[in-house]
Amino acid sequence: MDWFQAITRSLWALNIILLIGGSLASVIWIKTRGRKTTATPPISILKPLKGVDPGLYDSLETFFNLDYPQYEVIFSVANDQDPAVAVVRKLLSRYPNAPAQLIIGEEIVGPNPKVNNLMRSLGASQYELVVISDSYIRASRDYLQTLLDVYSPEIGTVTGLRRGYHGQGLGGKLEEYHMNAFYLRWQVLGQLLKLEFVVGSTMMFARSLCDRLGGFQGVSEYASEDYAFGEACRRQGKKIALSHTPVTQYIGQKSVRDFWYRHHRWGTIRKYAAPQVFFIEWQHGAVPAGILAYFTFAAISPEAGLAALAANSTIWFMFDFLVERVASGAWLNPGIWLIKELIVPFNWLHAIASRHIVWRGNKLKLLSRGRVQAMRDQTGEEKQKFPSAS
């Protein structure tokens, strides 16, 4: 079966090239700050919130202490019963002179709950440059400057190179290791291969461009509004830029179930929004690549196949360790890393079989091109029909 050997050999070699090349590229990318700009235009930071994530108070407090001359922070929640309201009000009372406010109440423009949450805060923001930052982002003091360093008039969106930080419990460590290897590496590879995409945990854009795209409600029918916004920017002839300094996502205590369903949701969304990526990513992991290595060298002898499997796993661990160390300064636990690598292929298979996701209490059905249809809310009531976002 020479054809089988040729396929496994080619796929395995491609994975090793992407692993080594992507890992080294990630290290160089992080070590290279990019062009430094002295411009400090005023910036509006929008923080959509729902519920209380681990470490929420400390994460939000970092936005009151940015080293930047003029900015505002607008927190938003869908309703006044949300427990995040108390956290924000505590911060506002501690920093009474801060340029920050809380907006309660969503504007329903489509099935994407994050977009609905953002609509009123986007309307209330003052400045031309807007940053959308998720609740779990823990900002460094130069957070805004690192985004501006890669911004220019031809850029449609700046997206943050995301790293996981301080994962606790088995699920938290699984999340940290997966984000600081697979996701971080592919953000850099995507940028270098001209397959760049927007990650919504941190995204910066000009309000005037957003208006030309039909407003943020224009992406409200998509499950992945960040990816859809980036694609809309491309259609306008704009580029997507990636920060060199990683943006920190605080993870905290997570269960294995939390890890599983978070990445099941992301995988299901990718399957519909970017199937050309999703249907080839199954092979890029230590376990699938190890199986390919085994069949590549088992033609020589079973012992050579097993040696190749072991060598592949060692190489994969070493380069994941390198990226983790440079991105976050942390160390990889080999046992937890192996558990993560064994879990991820089955998580991908779960996403293959799924058409629905649950996103912060909202059950959503995925449609073609990543569009989404609301199903039932947490009370079991049918969601209302939404106006067209086009």
PDB file of all heavy atoms in Angstrom, residues 228-252:
ATOM      1  N   ALA A 228     -16.737  37.029  11.811  1.00  0.00           N
ATOM      2  CA  ALA A 228     -17.561  37.655  10.771  1.00  0.00           C
ATOM      3  C   ALA A 228     -17.164  39.119  10.558  1.00  0.00           C
ATOM      4  O   ALA A 228     -17.144  39.604   9.422  1.00  0.00           O
ATOM      5  CB  ALA A 228     -19.044  37.555  11.149  1.00  0.00           C
ATOM      6  N   PHE A 229     -16.841  39.818  11.635  1.00  0.00           N
ATOM      7  CA  PHE A 229     -16.418  41.215  11.504  1.00  0.00           C
ATOM      8  C   PHE A 229     -15.098  41.300  10.734  1.00  0.00           C
ATOM      9  O   PHE A 229     -14.912  42.173   9.888  1.00  0.00           O
ATOM     10  CB  PHE A 229     -16.275  41.857  12.882  1.00  0.00           C
ATOM     11  CG  PHE A 229     -16.075  43.347  12.840  1.00  0.00           C
ATOM     12  CD1 PHE A 229     -17.153  44.200  12.731  1.00  0.00           C
ATOM     13  CD2 PHE A 229     -14.803  43.890  12.911  1.00  0.00           C
ATOM     14  CE1 PHE A 229     -16.975  45.579  12.683  1.00  0.00           C
ATOM     15  CE2 PHE A 229     -14.604  45.264  12.863  1.00  0.00           C
ATOM     16  CZ  PHE A 229     -15.704  46.112  12.754  1.00  0.00           C
ATOM     17  N   GLY A 230     -14.189  40.389  11.025  1.00  0.00           N
ATOM     18  CA  GLY A 230     -12.926  40.366  10.306  1.00  0.00           C
ATOM     19  C   GLY A 230     -13.119  40.107   8.822  1.00  0.00           C
ATOM     20  O   GLY A 230     -12.474  40.741   7.978  1.00  0.00           O
ATOM     21  N   GLU A 231     -14.027  39.181   8.485  1.00  0.00           N
ATOM     22  CA  GLU A 231     -14.300  38.904   7.078  1.00  0.00           C
ATOM     23  C   GLU A 231     -14.936  40.109   6.393  1.00  0.00           C
ATOM     24  O   GLU A 231     -14.651  40.403   5.226  1.00  0.00           O
ATOM     25  CB  GLU A 231     -15.216  37.678   6.961  1.00  0.00           C
ATOM     26  CG  GLU A 231     -14.554  36.369   7.371  1.00  0.00           C
ATOM     27  CD  GLU A 231     -13.301  36.087   6.561  1.00  0.00           C
ATOM     28  OE1 GLU A 231     -13.423  35.828   5.357  1.00  0.00           O
ATOM     29  OE2 GLU A 231     -12.193  36.152   7.146  1.00  0.00           O
ATOM     30  N   ALA A 232     -15.793  40.833   7.120  1.00  0.00           N
ATOM     31  CA  ALA A 232     -16.383  42.049   6.555  1.00  0.00           C
ATOM     32  C   ALA A 232     -15.314  43.104   6.295  1.00  0.00           C
ATOM     33  O   ALA A 232     -15.367  43.825   5.292  1.00  0.00           O
ATOM     34  CB  ALA A 232     -17.455  42.588   7.507  1.00  0.00           C
ATOM     35  N   CYS A 233     -14.326  43.185   7.176  1.00  0.00           N
ATOM     36  CA  CYS A 233     -13.209  44.113   6.966  1.00  0.00           C
ATOM     37  C   CYS A 233     -12.431  43.746   5.709  1.00  0.00           C
ATOM     38  O   CYS A 233     -12.040  44.621   4.924  1.00  0.00           O
ATOM     39  CB  CYS A 233     -12.274  44.108   8.175  1.00  0.00           C
ATOM     40  SG  CYS A 233     -12.947  44.888   9.654  1.00  0.00           S
ATOM     41  N   ARG A 234     -12.212  42.460   5.498  1.00  0.00           N
ATOM     42  CA  ARG A 234     -11.498  42.010   4.303  1.00  0.00           C
ATOM     43  C   ARG A 234     -12.222  42.452   3.035  1.00  0.00           C
ATOM     44  O   ARG A 234     -11.602  42.867   2.060  1.00  0.00           O
ATOM     45  CB  ARG A 234     -11.384  40.488   4.302  1.00  0.00           C
ATOM     46  CG  ARG A 234     -10.418  39.876   5.292  1.00  0.00           C
ATOM     47  CD  ARG A 234     -10.538  38.364   5.118  1.00  0.00           C
ATOM     48  NE  ARG A 234      -9.849  37.626   6.140  1.00  0.00           N
ATOM     49  CZ  ARG A 234      -8.560  37.302   6.087  1.00  0.00           C
ATOM     50  NH1 ARG A 234      -7.829  37.709   5.074  1.00  0.00           N
ATOM     51  NH2 ARG A 234      -8.011  36.587   7.048  1.00  0.00           N
ATOM     52  N   ARG A 235     -13.554  42.327   3.069  1.00  0.00           N
ATOM     53  CA  ARG A 235     -14.321  42.698   1.883  1.00  0.00           C
ATOM     54  C   ARG A 235     -14.213  44.193   1.586  1.00  0.00           C
ATOM     55  O   ARG A 235     -14.450  44.620   0.453  1.00  0.00           O
ATOM     56  CB  ARG A 235     -15.790  42.283   2.060  1.00  0.00           C
ATOM     57  CG  ARG A 235     -15.989  40.766   2.046  1.00  0.00           C
ATOM     58  CD  ARG A 235     -17.454  40.395   1.927  1.00  0.00           C
ATOM     59  NE  ARG A 235     -18.216  40.748   3.106  1.00  0.00           N
ATOM     60  CZ  ARG A 235     -18.376  39.942   4.158  1.00  0.00           C
ATOM     61  NH1 ARG A 235     -17.821  38.735   4.169  1.00  0.00           N
ATOM     62  NH2 ARG A 235     -19.103  40.326   5.196  1.00  0.00           N
ATOM     63  N   GLN A 236     -13.857  44.968   2.600  1.00  0.00           N
ATOM     64  CA  GLN A 236     -13.629  46.395   2.407  1.00  0.00           C
ATOM     65  C   GLN A 236     -12.177  46.690   2.034  1.00  0.00           C
ATOM     66  O   GLN A 236     -11.773  47.852   1.959  1.00  0.00           O
ATOM     67  CB  GLN A 236     -13.982  47.157   3.694  1.00  0.00           C
ATOM     68  CG  GLN A 236     -15.467  47.232   3.990  1.00  0.00           C
ATOM     69  CD  GLN A 236     -16.185  48.229   3.088  1.00  0.00           C
ATOM     70  OE1 GLN A 236     -15.664  49.294   2.790  1.00  0.00           O
ATOM     71  NE2 GLN A 236     -17.389  47.865   2.655  1.00  0.00           N
ATOM     72  N   GLY A 237     -11.387  45.635   1.816  1.00  0.00           N
ATOM     73  CA  GLY A 237      -9.993  45.817   1.452  1.00  0.00           C
ATOM     74  C   GLY A 237      -9.086  46.130   2.623  1.00  0.00           C
ATOM     75  O   GLY A 237      -7.948  46.590   2.439  1.00  0.00           O
ATOM     76  N   LYS A 238      -9.557  45.870   3.844  1.00  0.00           N
ATOM     77  CA  LYS A 238      -8.782  46.147   5.049  1.00  0.00           C
ATOM     78  C   LYS A 238      -8.090  44.876   5.550  1.00  0.00           C
ATOM     79  O   LYS A 238      -8.568  43.770   5.351  1.00  0.00           O
ATOM     80  CB  LYS A 238      -9.690  46.705   6.150  1.00  0.00           C
ATOM     81  CG  LYS A 238     -10.337  48.039   5.808  1.00  0.00           C
ATOM     82  CD  LYS A 238      -9.324  49.163   5.765  1.00  0.00           C
ATOM     83  CE  LYS A 238      -9.983  50.513   5.597  1.00  0.00           C
ATOM     84  NZ  LYS A 238      -8.990  51.614   5.600  1.00  0.00           N
ATOM     85  N   LYS A 239      -6.971  45.073   6.229  1.00  0.00           N
ATOM     86  CA  LYS A 239      -6.203  43.964   6.770  1.00  0.00           C
ATOM     87  C   LYS A 239      -6.543  43.726   8.240  1.00  0.00           C
ATOM     88  O   LYS A 239      -7.137  44.576   8.906  1.00  0.00           O
ATOM     89  CB  LYS A 239      -4.704  44.244   6.632  1.00  0.00           C
ATOM     90  CG  LYS A 239      -4.234  44.420   5.201  1.00  0.00           C
ATOM     91  CD  LYS A 239      -2.755  44.759   5.160  1.00  0.00           C
ATOM     92  CE  LYS A 239      -2.268  44.967   3.726  1.00  0.00           C
ATOM     93  NZ  LYS A 239      -0.829  45.329   3.674  1.00  0.00           N
ATOM     94  N   ILE A 240      -6.128  42.570   8.733  1.00  0.00           N
ATOM     95  CA  ILE A 240      -6.271  42.238  10.154  1.00  0.00           C
ATOM     96  C   ILE A 240      -4.870  42.163  10.749  1.00  0.00           C
ATOM     97  O   ILE A 240      -4.000  41.476  10.211  1.00  0.00           O
ATOM     98  CB  ILE A 240      -7.003  40.900  10.332  1.00  0.00           C
ATOM     99  CG1 ILE A 240      -8.433  41.008   9.789  1.00  0.00           C
ATOM    100  CG2 ILE A 240      -7.021  40.472  11.803  1.00  0.00           C
ATOM    101  CD1 ILE A 240      -9.140  39.678   9.656  1.00  0.00           C
ATOM    102  N   ALA A 241      -4.644  42.895  11.825  1.00  0.00           N
ATOM    103  CA  ALA A 241      -3.334  42.921  12.484  1.00  0.00           C
ATOM    104  C   ALA A 241      -3.400  42.150  13.791  1.00  0.00           C
ATOM    105  O   ALA A 241      -4.444  42.078  14.443  1.00  0.00           O
ATOM    106  CB  ALA A 241      -2.889  44.358  12.734  1.00  0.00           C
ATOM    107  N   LEU A 242      -2.270  41.572  14.171  1.00  0.00           N
ATOM    108  CA  LEU A 242      -2.155  40.781  15.394  1.00  0.00           C
ATOM    109  C   LEU A 242      -1.123  41.423  16.306  1.00  0.00           C
ATOM    110  O   LEU A 242      -0.006  41.711  15.877  1.00  0.00           O
ATOM    111  CB  LEU A 242      -1.734  39.351  15.047  1.00  0.00           C
ATOM    112  CG  LEU A 242      -1.511  38.379  16.201  1.00  0.00           C
ATOM    113  CD1 LEU A 242      -2.831  38.081  16.919  1.00  0.00           C
ATOM    114  CD2 LEU A 242      -0.882  37.086  15.682  1.00  0.00           C
ATOM    115  N   SER A 243      -1.490  41.638  17.563  1.00  0.00           N
ATOM    116  CA  SER A 243      -0.547  42.233  18.507  1.00  0.00           C
ATOM    117  C   SER A 243       0.626  41.295  18.750  1.00  0.00           C
ATOM    118  O   SER A 243       0.488  40.070  18.679  1.00  0.00           O
ATOM    119  CB  SER A 243      -1.242  42.553  19.834  1.00  0.00           C
ATOM    120  OG  SER A 243      -1.585  41.362  20.523  1.00  0.00           O
ATOM    121  N   HIS A 244       1.787  41.858  19.031  1.00  0.00           N
ATOM    122  CA  HIS A 244       2.960  41.041  19.354  1.00  0.00           C
ATOM    123  C   HIS A 244       2.987  40.697  20.841  1.00  0.00           C
ATOM    124  O   HIS A 244       3.432  39.606  21.217  1.00  0.00           O
ATOM    125  CB  HIS A 244       4.237  41.789  18.969  1.00  0.00           C
ATOM    126  CG  HIS A 244       4.469  41.838  17.496  1.00  0.00           C
ATOM    127  ND1 HIS A 244       5.210  40.893  16.819  1.00  0.00           N
ATOM    128  CD2 HIS A 244       4.029  42.707  16.555  1.00  0.00           C
ATOM    129  CE1 HIS A 244       5.227  41.187  15.533  1.00  0.00           C
ATOM    130  NE2 HIS A 244       4.517  42.280  15.343  1.00  0.00           N
ATOM    131  N   THR A 245       2.550  41.608  21.663  1.00  0.00           N
ATOM    132  CA  THR A 245       2.488  41.346  23.102  1.00  0.00           C
ATOM    133  C   THR A 245       1.224  40.558  23.406  1.00  0.00           C
ATOM    134  O   THR A 245       0.118  40.996  23.064  1.00  0.00           O
ATOM    135  CB  THR A 245       2.478  42.657  23.903  1.00  0.00           C
ATOM    136  OG1 THR A 245       3.650  43.405  23.569  1.00  0.00           O
ATOM    137  CG2 THR A 245       2.435  42.387  25.398  1.00  0.00           C
ATOM    138  N   PRO A 246       1.317  39.380  24.026  1.00  0.00           N
ATOM    139  CA  PRO A 246       0.111  38.596  24.307  1.00  0.00           C
ATOM    140  C   PRO A 246      -0.844  39.324  25.244  1.00  0.00           C
ATOM    141  O   PRO A 246      -0.442  40.042  26.161  1.00  0.00           O
ATOM    142  CB  PRO A 246       0.667  37.330  24.973  1.00  0.00           C
ATOM    143  CG  PRO A 246       2.078  37.224  24.502  1.00  0.00           C
ATOM    144  CD  PRO A 246       2.553  38.648  24.394  1.00  0.00           C
ATOM    145  N   VAL A 247      -2.118  39.139  24.974  1.00  0.00           N
ATOM    146  CA  VAL A 247      -3.189  39.625  25.832  1.00  0.00           C
ATOM    147  C   VAL A 247      -3.541  38.510  26.802  1.00  0.00           C
ATOM    148  O   VAL A 247      -3.749  37.362  26.391  1.00  0.00           O
ATOM    149  CB  VAL A 247      -4.420  40.026  24.985  1.00  0.00           C
ATOM    150  CG1 VAL A 247      -5.615  40.295  25.875  1.00  0.00           C
ATOM    151  CG2 VAL A 247      -4.089  41.241  24.123  1.00  0.00           C
ATOM    152  N   THR A 248      -3.608  38.829  28.065  1.00  0.00           N
ATOM    153  CA  THR A 248      -3.768  37.802  29.094  1.00  0.00           C
ATOM    154  C   THR A 248      -5.227  37.485  29.368  1.00  0.00           C
ATOM    155  O   THR A 248      -6.017  38.371  29.694  1.00  0.00           O
ATOM    156  CB  THR A 248      -3.095  38.248  30.404  1.00  0.00           C
ATOM    157  OG1 THR A 248      -1.696  38.432  30.160  1.00  0.00           O
ATOM    158  CG2 THR A 248      -3.286  37.211  31.494  1.00  0.00           C
ATOM    159  N   GLN A 249      -5.591  36.221  29.219  1.00  0.00           N
ATOM    160  CA  GLN A 249      -6.905  35.737  29.618  1.00  0.00           C
ATOM    161  C   GLN A 249      -6.756  35.004  30.945  1.00  0.00           C
ATOM    162  O   GLN A 249      -6.106  33.958  31.019  1.00  0.00           O
ATOM    163  CB  GLN A 249      -7.491  34.803  28.565  1.00  0.00           C
ATOM    164  CG  GLN A 249      -8.799  34.159  29.009  1.00  0.00           C
ATOM    165  CD  GLN A 249      -9.390  33.230  27.968  1.00  0.00           C
ATOM    166  OE1 GLN A 249      -9.246  33.461  26.774  1.00  0.00           O
ATOM    167  NE2 GLN A 249     -10.056  32.180  28.416  1.00  0.00           N
ATOM    168  N   TYR A 250      -7.354  35.547  31.986  1.00  0.00           N
ATOM    169  CA  TYR A 250      -7.303  34.892  33.284  1.00  0.00           C
ATOM    170  C   TYR A 250      -8.274  33.713  33.268  1.00  0.00           C
ATOM    171  O   TYR A 250      -9.450  33.856  32.935  1.00  0.00           O
ATOM    172  CB  TYR A 250      -7.681  35.871  34.395  1.00  0.00           C
ATOM    173  CG  TYR A 250      -7.603  35.254  35.766  1.00  0.00           C
ATOM    174  CD1 TYR A 250      -6.379  35.176  36.439  1.00  0.00           C
ATOM    175  CD2 TYR A 250      -8.732  34.724  36.381  1.00  0.00           C
ATOM    176  CE1 TYR A 250      -6.293  34.585  37.685  1.00  0.00           C
ATOM    177  CE2 TYR A 250      -8.651  34.137  37.631  1.00  0.00           C
ATOM    178  CZ  TYR A 250      -7.434  34.065  38.279  1.00  0.00           C
ATOM    179  OH  TYR A 250      -7.349  33.473  39.522  1.00  0.00           O
ATOM    180  N   ILE A 251      -7.774  32.542  33.631  1.00  0.00           N
ATOM    181  CA  ILE A 251      -8.582  31.322  33.553  1.00  0.00           C
ATOM    182  C   ILE A 251      -9.156  30.938  34.914  1.00  0.00           C
ATOM    183  O   ILE A 251     -10.351  30.719  35.059  1.00  0.00           O
ATOM    184  CB  ILE A 251      -7.738  30.168  32.978  1.00  0.00           C
ATOM    185  CG1 ILE A 251      -7.331  30.508  31.539  1.00  0.00           C
ATOM    186  CG2 ILE A 251      -8.526  28.850  33.022  1.00  0.00           C
ATOM    187  CD1 ILE A 251      -6.332  29.550  30.937  1.00  0.00           C
ATOM    188  N   GLY A 252      -8.307  30.839  35.916  1.00  0.00           N
ATOM    189  CA  GLY A 252      -8.781  30.466  37.243  1.00  0.00           C
ATOM    190  C   GLY A 252      -9.251  29.031  37.317  1.00  0.00           C
ATOM    191  O   GLY A 252      -8.826  28.168  36.539  1.00  0.00           O
TER     192      GLY A 252
END
